[in-house]
Amino acid sequence: MLVLLGAIIIGLSLGLFGSGGSILTVPVLLYLIGMPAQLAIASSLFIVAAISAFGSFHNSLKGLISWRHVRWFGIPGMLGTYIGAWGGTLVDSRWQLLVFSLLMIVAAVFMWRSKLTDTANQLPFNKLKVLADGLLVGAVTGFVGVGGGFLIVPALVLMGGLPIVIGVATSLVIIALKSFVGFSKYYAVFSSQGISFDWTVIGLMVIAGIAGSYLGAWIGRRLPKEKLQRGFAVFLAIMAIVVISQSVI
């Protein structure tokens, strides 16, 4: 029941905001499931990748994905994620959780202040900036086990010139690609060390997360998005404090 509850919460966030769900996956695995920190970080990458891939399939049928931006942001992001995942296997998990907590605070600020519009930004498509941002966000993804949608969407809108609807849909493809690459690195390292993943928990969270994303999208069409977003920002800040106090200090 705890697994299902946590997965539905993650899916709700993805459905409501198009991002933010992945940043809840690690706390759910840590505190609801009781999974060790590094295993939780690695498992979260697979869960996020699977849920994002499912959403991307539906978005592609609707023609909402900019494959040009997937190439320029996603491919460098995959390289960055692999490097970040490699670094994550070499450090104490408390460092990963500290960076993760700080990232949650950054995400909270983004979501509190975010006022991205539904029209394309007037800035031209800056290939170099998009490529560099993809590499950086990818490294963060691999190191702390998050999809990084709250960073990817603003980058695609502000630097890539995409409308917010296309930016959110495109970000899910990028999240799926990066997260699968990051997980593969963790899987290879952990398998060589005899560490196994709990595929029952992972599978249940993927299924419930997909269901929750549909529910979140339905709720999002009926409630004021700005108030929901600010409430979620406060929740993220509180969770960051919990992670620091419980698992870092």
Side-chain angles (χ1 to χ4, degrees):
M1 290 301 297
L2 290 176
V3 173
L4 293 176
L5 175 62
I8 289 171
I9 292 171
I10 293 163
L12 279 171
S13 173
L14 285 169
L16 283 169
F17 310 115
S19 63
S22 60
I23 210 164
L24 296 177
T25 310
V26 173
V28 165
L29 294 173
L30 274 176
Y31 304 122
L32 288 184
I33 314 302
M35 196 175 282
Q38 281 197 320
L39 200 57
I41 289 169
S43 299
S44 74
L45 286 171
F46 185 91
I47 294 166
V48 169
I51 295 173
S52 299
F54 186 85
S56 297
F57 174 74
H58 286 275
N59 288 332
S60 67
L61 296 179
K62 297 176 182 177
L64 296 175
I65 297 169
S66 171
W67 295 106
R68 177 194 186 194
H69 289 75
V70 170
R71 290 194 300 272
W72 282 95
F73 196 106
I75 294 175
M78 292 166 70
L79 175 61
T81 302
Y82 188 87
I83 294 170
W86 171 74
T89 63
L90 302 177
V91 301
D92 190 299
S93 61
R94 286 180 298 177
W95 286 107
Q96 288 174 284
L97 292 175
L98 176 60
V99 174
F100 175 78
S101 302
L102 296 175
L103 201 61
M104 289 184 84
I105 294 172
V106 172
V109 173
F110 263 87
M111 298 200 79
W112 182 271
R113 300 176 61 183
S114 177
K115 292 183 179 178
L116 298 175
T117 65
D118 288 328
T119 56
N121 191 275
Q122 297 302 308
L123 292 177
F125 180 79
N126 190 318
K127 292 181 180 179
L128 186 60
K129 285 186 177 180
V130 170
L131 188 150
D133 197 59
L135 189 64
L136 178 60
V137 174
V140 173
T141 294
F143 190 71
V144 300
V146 300
F150 63 93
L151 295 174
I152 297 172
V153 174
L156 292 175
V157 173
L158 299 176
M159 289 188 292
L162 289 178
I164 182 67
V165 174
I166 305 296
V168 168
T170 302
S171 77
L172 285 180
V173 180
I174 295 168
I175 288 169
L177 291 172
K178 295 192 296 90
S179 298
F180 273 127
V181 167
F183 174 77
S184 68
K185 178 59 180 177
Y186 278 109
Y187 182 83
V189 172
F190 288 174
S191 295
S192 68
Q193 298 173 354
I195 301 172
S196 58
F197 289 84
D198 191 332
W199 289 105
T200 301
V201 168
I202 291 173
L204 284 173
M205 290 195 70
V206 169
I207 294 169
I210 290 171
S213 66
Y214 279 104
L215 180 60
W218 181 83
I219 293 173
R221 291 192 293 269
R222 289 159 175 79
L223 295 177
K225 185 127 182 207
E226 186 175 345
K227 290 183 179 179
L228 285 170
Q229 190 164 303
R230 289 197 167 190
F232 187 70
V234 172
F235 177 71
L236 282 182
I238 293 171
M239 282 303 303
I241 295 170
V242 170
V243 173
I244 291 173
S245 62
Q246 295 293 319
S247 304
V248 178
I249 299 177

